[in-house]
Amino acid sequence: MADNKFLDNVAGRTLSKPPTPGDIFFDKSFRFLTRTFTWATIFLLAFIVYKIGGHALTALPELGFKFLFTSDWNSSQNIYGILPQIWGTLYSSFLALILGGFFGITIAIFITQDFLPYQIEIILKNIIELLAAIPSVVYGLWGIYVLVPLIRPFANFLHEYLGWIPFFSTRLSGLGLLPAALVLSIMILPTIAAVSQDALKAIPHKTKEAAFGMGTTRWEAILRVMVPTASGGIFGALVLGFGRALGETMALAMLVGSMSTITLSVLSPADTIAALLANTFPEADAGLETSALMYAACVLLLITLIVNIAGAVIVAKTTPGGNKK
Amino acid sequence: MNEDSLQHPKLERQPMEPRALKSIILSTITIVCAVTACIPLFSVLIMLLYRGGKRLTFQLFYTLPPGAFDAPGVGGFGHAILGTAFMVGIAGLISVPFGILAAIYLAELGPHHKVSEIARFCAKTMTGLPSIIAGVFAYAMVVLLMGHYSAWAGGIALSLLMIPTVMLTAEEAIKMVPNPMREAAYGMGCTPTQSLIKIILPVAMPSIITGVVLAVARAAGETAPLLFTALFSESWLAPNNPTASLAVLIYNWSSSPYQNLIELAWAASLILVVLVFFLNIISRAVGGKTKL
């Protein structure tokens, strides 16, 4: 009897009950809603590509593919070409990648390879993350009023004495590729550092212990064991950083000088696709010029999509645990 | 002699030995690199405090921009603060429900469906989308349709950048909820929806909020999507007209010939950076621990 009473009590107090028809209906509609939004994500990306591509296509018959290989942008005569912008985008991103990549990977090694006490490691990591939090337009402002005056004497010294090297063949008259690439490298550094850190951290601890057990010094272990093991992830980090640099707009629009030239000189002004869009779009004619800009946007979209997808695939393929099904 | 060195190896540290020397040199280079990388952050912060701090008064928050011939030290950008808040608000209203609902499906209801895999891939791709592309898209979608620049278009452009961030962080957050909690909920006869709303989402909420706050911080600083969707204005917020924002204000006034406007651009930068850092700190506090 006592047992029975106990059971009754439990049954009376429990919260469990089968769902009512209302609950089931609510459940079904909620699930439907979430699935709709999942589909919407896919459609959103497709729609972005479709919409920009569609506007670009209206410009294609008039501008053709020579748009990509000519260098005049003249809205009064309806002549458009973006070769200098394509060159500037790739060149500035490449310069930023060299610098940002070097610093980013070095910092990733510094943070992950037990150089620092834990607390300082965290502080350094937070500082690097905050670098990424500063809006690019603030970097642009800083670049104009702090960085350019700072590097100008140095840049002109380079031109004076090393002007025969094509990279320094012009004077830095103010804005130009060098300050733009410097700011760009600061902006991609956190991405590269973060992804490389993940790659380095994913290496099992035993690998390093084995290297130390063989009698390697710290740097022999890092350069011959750790970095080669993480090389896939680090390469992916570089590709992702490159992708970020390609699409970065404001710092370049403010610092690159917006001049349609194709030059090797890092001290000369140049232009990029994103900067062209930022500077020209607000005042563009509604007709062919807007379509031409959409065409340029489409080119930028395709370049960044390819680079970013490549980077994501490399990171997923090479990071252990990144490709688990 | 050889015999002796074998029996009595030098066990002390030999800093001048080539291998050890190389190690020391490389370590020094690394430290120099790390310190150098921190310089820009401090330089930016010091310049913001120095040049922006000079103009930081309460007047900034409730006055409109000065005219070209106003006395130096006059004017503010209350309209831009309001504009940024309004457009980020719209972006949040669109992207938070969108992102969280999609994340629920990705993490909980159909994680291995083909749709989820493709959607996850799309979201990851969208995080790498150049922000100016979001502006071009919103221009083609909203501005051309409405026929004029507006705060709505700006908000929609910003929401495109927030959706993938909110979605991916929310997905991770929901996945982190321990499985026994789900099983307990199902055991009590909950439908999947009930278990989500009553158990899983409340547990995952701090991490979801972290993601949302980070997305808001990023959107508040974005300029490129607003350049030709919200444009800029010199008057108070009117959502159907061009609208000012802090970021576009900094861009427009940075190359101004008037010292007064440049000073205001620095002050606006200071406010923007303080806001963004504040949001970052909140997100960390809510998240409870430092994120990777």
Side-chain angles (χ1 to χ4, degrees), chain B residues 12 24 26 40 45 76 85 106 130 146 204:
Chain B
E12 314 86 58
I24 292 169
L26 283 172
L45 293 183
L106 289 189
M146 288 175 76

Side-chain angles (χ1 to χ4, degrees), chain A residues 276-289:
Chain A
L276 173 82
L277 289 170
N279 287 326
T280 321
F281 217 120
E283 288 118 37
D285 302 336
L288 188 59
E289 190 172 14

Side-chain angles (χ1 to χ4, degrees), chain A residues 96-108 189 192 238, chain B residues 29-30 33:
Chain A
L97 183 67
I98 294 175
L99 211 63
F102 175 71
F103 277 93
I105 295 170
T106 314
I107 286 168
L189 187 154
I192 295 176
L238 291 176
Chain B
I29 294 174
T30 311
C33 277

